[in-house]
């Protein structure tokens, strides 16, 4: 089971750190992806990290502002989000799969989502 947390209401330019914690399995064996879904839009990939070498990937819209990382001791993956913009408002989901990808169908386990609202 995956549990995403850390969402909230922030003003433009502020930061949030999302967490994706696993129970029942070890996250470091999996690639982890962060996805988001804004109202009325399709779910899209934001960032992902590979299992073996922690290679990281980012959508162009968040490159330079978001950072994905792992803490294997805590069995948790983080998404540090800086310089948030109103267009980052969405429900954010984490997912575990066997290869890093922005293709939703390649992920086997999904968290329940955490809402991020960026508004002044």
């Amino acid at each position: 089971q995956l549990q995403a947390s850390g969402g909230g209401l922030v003003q433009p330019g502020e930061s949030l750190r999302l967490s994706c914690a696993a129970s029942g399995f070890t996250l470091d064996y999996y690639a982890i992806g962060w996805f988001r879904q804004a109202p009325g839009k399709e779910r899209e990939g934001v960032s992902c990290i590979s299992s073996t070498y922690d290679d990281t990937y980012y959508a162009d819209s968040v490159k330079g502002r978001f950072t994905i990382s792992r803490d294997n001791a805590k069995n948790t993956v983080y998404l540090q989000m800086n310089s948030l913009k109103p267009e980052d408002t969405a429900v954010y989901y984490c997912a575990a799969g066997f290869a890093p990808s922005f293709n939703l169908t390649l992920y086997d386990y999904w968290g329940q989502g955490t809402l991020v609202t960026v508004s002044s």
Side-chain angles (χ1 to χ4, degrees), residues 15-34:
S15 300
L16 277 176
R17 188 178 75 162
L18 305 184
S19 299
C20 177
S23 58
F25 64 99
T26 303
L27 273 186
D28 57 342
Y29 295 147
Y30 292 86
I32 304 299
W34 281 99

Side-chain angles (χ1 to χ4, degrees), residues 19 25 33-34 42 48 51 58 63 66 70-71 81 94 103 112-113 115-118:
S19 299
F25 64 99
W34 281 99
E42 293 186 351
C48 51
S51 58
Y58 299 93
K63 204 170 292 183
F66 291 11
R70 292 180 182 270
D71 185 335
M81 306 188 297
C94 62
N103 184 340
Q112 84 291 356
L115 176 62
V116 173
T117 304
V118 185

Side-chain angles (χ1 to χ4, degrees), residues 3-54:
Q3 178 83 25
S5 62
L9 172 63
V10 296
Q11 295 188 346
E14 294 186 339
S15 300
L16 277 176
R17 188 178 75 162
L18 305 184
S19 299
C20 177
S23 58
F25 64 99
T26 303
L27 273 186
D28 57 342
Y29 295 147
Y30 292 86
I32 304 299
W34 281 99
F35 295 81
R36 67 186 181 188
Q37 188 165 18
K41 295 188 176 181
E42 293 186 351
R43 195 171 298 189
E44 63 176 0
V46 174
S47 180
C48 51
I49 186 168
S50 67
S51 58
T52 305
Y53 298 109
D54 286 352

Side-chain angles (χ1 to χ4, degrees), residues 78-106:
Y78 301 101
L79 184 68
Q80 177 67 43
M81 306 188 297
N82 298 330
S83 302
L84 283 161
K85 304 175 180 180
E87 52 263 43
D88 294 319
T89 295
V91 177
Y92 283 71
Y93 300 88
C94 62
F98 290 99
S101 173
F102 291 150
N103 184 340
L104 285 72
T105 65
L106 297 183

